[in-house]
Amino acid sequence: YNNLVQDILKQRSNSKQNKRTILSGGLANYAKYGAHSLFTDIISEKELRKINPQELVDIVKIFNSYQHGFFYYGPTEKAQISTLLKQLKTPENLKEVPQRVEYAELPMDKPMVYFANYDMVQAEIMLIAKDKVFDPALMPLQTMFNAYYGGGMNSIIFQEIREARGLAYSAYAYTSNATRAGLSNYVNAYIGTQADKMTAAMDVLYQLLREMPMSENAFQKSKEFVINNLRTSRTTKSDIFWTYMWCKDHHIDYDYNETVYKVIDRMTLADVQNYFNQHIKPAQFTVLIVGSKDRIDFKYLKKIAKIKEIPLKKLFGY
């Protein structure tokens, strides 16, 4: 157990030195939830060292005293599932599973710039905005937008910022689904660039998030890519369980891939533009930046919004 604690502490130390973890873990969670989030809600070093390993063993022993279910994947003709279930010693009265800890989403209705100092010549930049509450009906449009606009090397964002202008070594944009029903989707955009190219790269990114370039050729390629992926994908083995649980958490009781396929198959570029105008163009973006204080252009950032530097201890909770 002492070795395990040392591994955990070493892992935590490494995370604070990882610029991507600082950006997409620390700053992104701070922007969405503030100082208290799943990212910072951890057991302190002092508490870790006080734990008796037997406590952890005892927790495992009481798992089946809570309400639970079973998942099986395999040949049903050989597996005598009912016999196996009868052999399990399950208490007659099961306890209710404890309520999950809820982390309140911040409104994110005003632009902000959150900065974390990191000694490097590059700048890691993420723009994040709160979108609508999760809606399964939006999934086909989200899928198509992500593929067309920010999903890969042929996407609009990558082509415009990296290939055409050479302003970044990496760039993308996408909308992400909520972790479960009732929570918000988010719009995300990322640029990894040299600090001296930050202002030019951000200008182009903002332009692309306000006006959508129209390319029928790029759209058709993206559509073909998505359709082919859906046509050839298979959900098997343990993925069946995790897909089922994801659907349950999102109140979906049908094969959403089939729905996404059918809708995208008849989708046009105008549909994606309409989605862009409703969900991307009006978004109020919070800017997250990881970089060196000596190299970041703060005069430029002040024109965007108020700047707040967040210490790593506050971002990580340790």
Side-chain angles (χ1 to χ4, degrees):
Y1 177 75
N2 290 333
N3 287 338
L4 173 63
V5 171
Q6 288 304 119
D7 288 345
I8 291 171
L9 297 178
K10 176 61 176 173
Q11 197 172 39
R12 290 181 182 181
S13 176
N14 291 343
S15 293
K16 290 178 76 173
Q17 299 175 49
N18 187 311
K19 58 186 180 181
R20 287 295 180 90
T21 305
I22 296 170
L23 180 71
S24 58
L27 285 174
N29 277 282
Y30 188 89
K32 292 178 183 178
Y33 306 103
H36 185 60
S37 69
L38 180 62
F39 187 77
T40 58
D41 195 355
I42 59 175
I43 300 173
S44 70
E45 178 179 350
K46 184 178 179 181
E47 291 171 319
L48 281 172
R49 295 192 184 280
K50 284 171 61 178
I51 291 174
N52 184 332
Q54 187 59 44
E55 292 179 60
L56 306 179
V57 176
D58 292 341
I59 290 173
V60 176
K61 290 179 179 179
I62 63 170
F63 273 179
N64 74 333
S65 66
Y66 289 94
Q67 294 174 353
H68 57 272
F70 300 92
F71 173 78
Y72 172 81
Y73 178 88
T76 53
E77 67 275 14
K78 293 181 181 178
Q80 298 183 12
I81 301 171
S82 59
T83 303
L84 290 172
L85 292 177
K86 288 176 183 177
Q87 293 174 5
L88 291 170
K89 295 179 181 179
T90 304
E92 188 173 337
N93 297 313
L94 297 175
K95 303 174 188 175
E96 288 191 10
V97 176
Q99 291 292 317
R100 74 167 82 226
V101 177
E102 299 290 348
Y103 304 96
E105 296 178 339
L106 298 179
M108 294 182 71
D109 52 357
K110 294 180 181 178
M112 275 293 297
V113 176
Y114 292 121
F115 170 76
N117 189 39
Y118 189 98
D119 187 17
M120 61 181 182
V121 296
Q122 299 87 8
E124 296 282 318
I125 306 158
M126 181 178 286
L127 273 60
I128 186 168
K130 193 173 183 179
D131 194 18
K132 307 292 184 182
V133 170
F134 173 78
D135 180 358
L138 291 174
M139 290 172 66
L141 284 161
Q142 287 175 287
T143 302
M144 196 60 245
F145 168 79
N146 289 348
Y148 171 68
Y149 220 69
M153 295 179 68
N154 292 317
S155 66
I156 296 295
I157 293 286
F158 189 88
Q159 286 295 318
E160 287 290 327
I161 295 179
R162 175 175 169 165
E163 296 300 288
R165 306 172 194 245
L167 291 174
Y169 54 81
S170 182
Y172 54 81
Y174 66 98
T175 56
S176 58
N177 280 315
T179 53
R180 63 182 190 277
L183 300 180
S184 301
N185 292 343
Y186 286 87
V187 181
N188 310 270
Y190 166 81
I191 305 174
T193 185
Q194 298 296 112
D196 58 358
K197 293 182 178 180
M198 182 193 81
T199 57
M202 288 185 68
D203 280 344
V204 176
L205 181 61
Y206 269 113
Q207 181 183 345
L208 293 172
L209 294 172
R210 295 294 176 247
E211 296 297 331
M212 187 182 96
M214 304 287 281
S215 170
E216 186 63 37
N217 182 51
F219 170 75
Q220 290 301 332
K221 286 182 178 179
S222 300
K223 182 176 178 178
E224 183 180 351
F225 173 79
V226 172
I227 290 292
N228 285 338
N229 273 355
L230 289 168
R231 187 181 289 136
T232 57
S233 66
R234 298 292 182 271
T235 304
T236 61
K237 301 181 180 179
S238 61
D239 285 344
I240 295 174
F241 170 74
W242 295 115
T243 301
Y244 165 77
M245 292 301 294
W246 189 92
C247 288
K248 187 177 179 181
D249 286 341
H250 291 79
H251 300 169
I252 296 174
D253 59 359
Y254 54 89
D255 183 353
Y256 66 87
N257 276 335
E258 182 179 353
T259 301
V260 170
Y261 180 93
K262 289 178 178 178
V263 174
I264 288 180
D265 194 39
R266 57 178 184 271
M267 198 177 288
T268 66
L269 182 56
D271 294 321
V272 179
Q273 184 181 37
N274 187 48
Y275 174 83
F276 179 94
N277 290 338
Q278 291 182 23
H279 295 266
I280 313 301
K281 190 172 183 177
Q284 292 287 342
F285 286 101
T286 293
V287 180
L288 315 177
I289 297 186
V290 178
S292 172
K293 266 186 179 180
D294 301 329
R295 293 184 171 93
I296 296 297
D297 188 343
F298 288 102
K299 289 183 179 179
Y300 172 86
L301 295 175
K302 284 179 182 178
K303 295 176 183 178
I304 297 173
K306 180 181 177 182
I307 303 170
K308 184 176 181 180
E309 182 178 353
I310 315 294
L312 294 187
K313 185 175 181 180
K314 192 168 186 178
L315 284 182
F316 285 82
Y318 57 90

